Amino acid sequence: MPQHLIDKLERFTRLSDEDRQVLKALARKVRLIEAGVDIIQEGDRPETVNLFLDGWACRYKQLEDGRRQIVAFFVPGDLCDIHIYVLREMDHAIAAITPVRLATVPREILLDTMDRHPRITRALWWESLVNAAIQREWTVNIGRRTALERLAHLFCELFLRLRAVGLAEGSTCPFPLTQLELADATGLTNVHVNRTLKEMRNAGLILLKSRQLTVPDLAALQKAALFNPNYLHLEREGAYLSANA
């Protein structure tokens, strides 16, 4: 069931029972992907939209010499580009970081859902705009922030995204990313990431243990990251569209 997607969309507007049932019906065909396997490769022709039900994945570009830049992380509840099927071919790849369970949504079903359910359509517009805002923030992260600010900012973002879909317990959330994946996402070397994580631990900003992230003081981590959560738009801008408004 795509409950995490429903939880995320309801950060924007309250859905009706019918809306929720329609979204649950999107998960008709489910794929299981092993960790480290490409879900879709650069050059492939996209035919469906992927909805992540469980597990983590990343969007990446790879240079001919093997260097990789991760440009996005996917967590449960994320849709992978709701209009991706209009492209002739993929210009990037998407890989599973952990074992992933995802629903493949055919173009026809998604378009029919958006035609028949305007509240869902507007919520999906919001989801797409938030994704674009995240990409802008990642550009700023790599272009202007220090190493500590880059990592702290990424931790803040992922913690809040996971909390928004009910995947954080108190100050702790799942965090399966390796130092190499953090390096590929922040434009740092593995050695620099290792050194910066030690600095953050020593400052009491984070605790990483057993594939879990604990943030003892979120305000302190946000201050260290120069983090403003406004780009995540989690404050119900679409409240006026709510089913019970």
Side-chain angles (χ1 to χ4, degrees):
M1 291 295 185
Q3 186 60 47
H4 297 309
L5 173 64
I6 293 170
D7 290 342
K8 180 166 66 169
L9 296 183
E10 290 206 304
R11 303 293 300 199
F12 174 73
T13 189
R14 293 287 182 262
L15 301 172
S16 68
D17 289 340
E18 181 183 3
D19 292 332
R20 297 186 192 97
Q21 290 303 315
V22 168
L23 288 171
K24 289 176 181 179
L26 293 179
R28 298 177 186 179
K29 185 176 181 181
V30 175
R31 295 175 62 197
L32 301 177
I33 311 293
E34 294 181 3
V37 173
D38 279 346
I39 295 168
I40 191 166
Q41 297 180 330
E42 187 168 352
D44 287 353
R45 183 177 180 85
E47 301 288 349
T48 59
V49 174
N50 292 313
L51 166 58
F52 290 90
L53 303 175
D54 289 304
W56 288 47
C58 68
R59 189 197 312 271
Y60 73 92
K61 293 281 291 186
Q62 191 154 19
L63 302 180
E64 292 181 358
D65 62 5
R67 285 176 293 167
R68 181 179 72 161
Q69 179 68 47
I70 291 176
V71 296
F73 288 119
F74 296 103
V75 300
D78 285 343
L79 274 165
C80 182
D81 305 316
I82 62 173
H83 298 301
I84 192 69
Y85 52 79
V86 305
L87 297 180
R88 182 175 180 178
E89 66 177 43
M90 292 290 290
D91 55 33
H92 60 275
I94 297 172
I97 292 173
T98 68
V100 165
R101 187 167 63 95
L102 57 83
T104 55
V105 185
R107 170 180 57 188
E108 296 76 15
I109 291 177
L110 183 62
L111 289 176
D112 182 67
T113 296
M114 296 176 72
D115 285 343
R116 294 173 178 269
H117 301 275
R119 188 163 34 247
I120 292 177
T121 300
R122 293 180 181 118
L124 291 176
W125 287 348
W126 168 82
E127 201 258 355
S128 294
L129 290 170
V130 170
N131 287 336
I134 290 172
Q135 291 298 147
R136 288 192 292 272
E137 202 66 32
W138 277 47
T139 300
V140 175
N141 217 32
I142 292 177
R144 284 291 177 262
R145 293 190 176 102
T146 67
L148 190 148
E149 290 166 354
R150 291 183 201 187
L151 286 167
H153 200 280
L154 182 60
F155 290 148
C156 288
E157 177 188 297
L158 290 172
F159 179 80
L160 291 180
R161 285 171 60 188
L162 290 165
R163 189 171 71 177
V165 296
L167 289 174
E169 285 191 27
S171 60
T172 299
C173 68
F175 202 83
L177 302 180
T178 65
Q179 289 188 13
L180 181 57
E181 288 156 348
L182 290 172
D184 286 349
T186 55
L188 302 169
T189 66
N190 200 5
V191 172
H192 202 168
V193 167
N194 182 276
R195 185 166 59 244
T196 305
L197 289 177
K198 287 182 180 178
E199 182 181 353
M200 295 174 70
R201 289 190 186 99
N202 291 338
L205 294 173
I206 60 165
L207 175 63
L208 288 171
K209 186 177 181 180
S210 302
R211 296 165 67 89
Q212 298 277 319
L213 167 68
T214 298
V215 182
D217 186 340
L218 181 58
L221 186 63
Q222 290 177 324
K223 183 177 180 181
L226 306 180
F227 184 85
N228 184 339
N230 67 344
Y231 71 99
L232 295 175
H233 300 282
L234 296 175
E235 300 303 324
R236 291 199 70 209
E237 288 88 345
Y240 67 96
L241 299 172
S242 294
N244 57 358

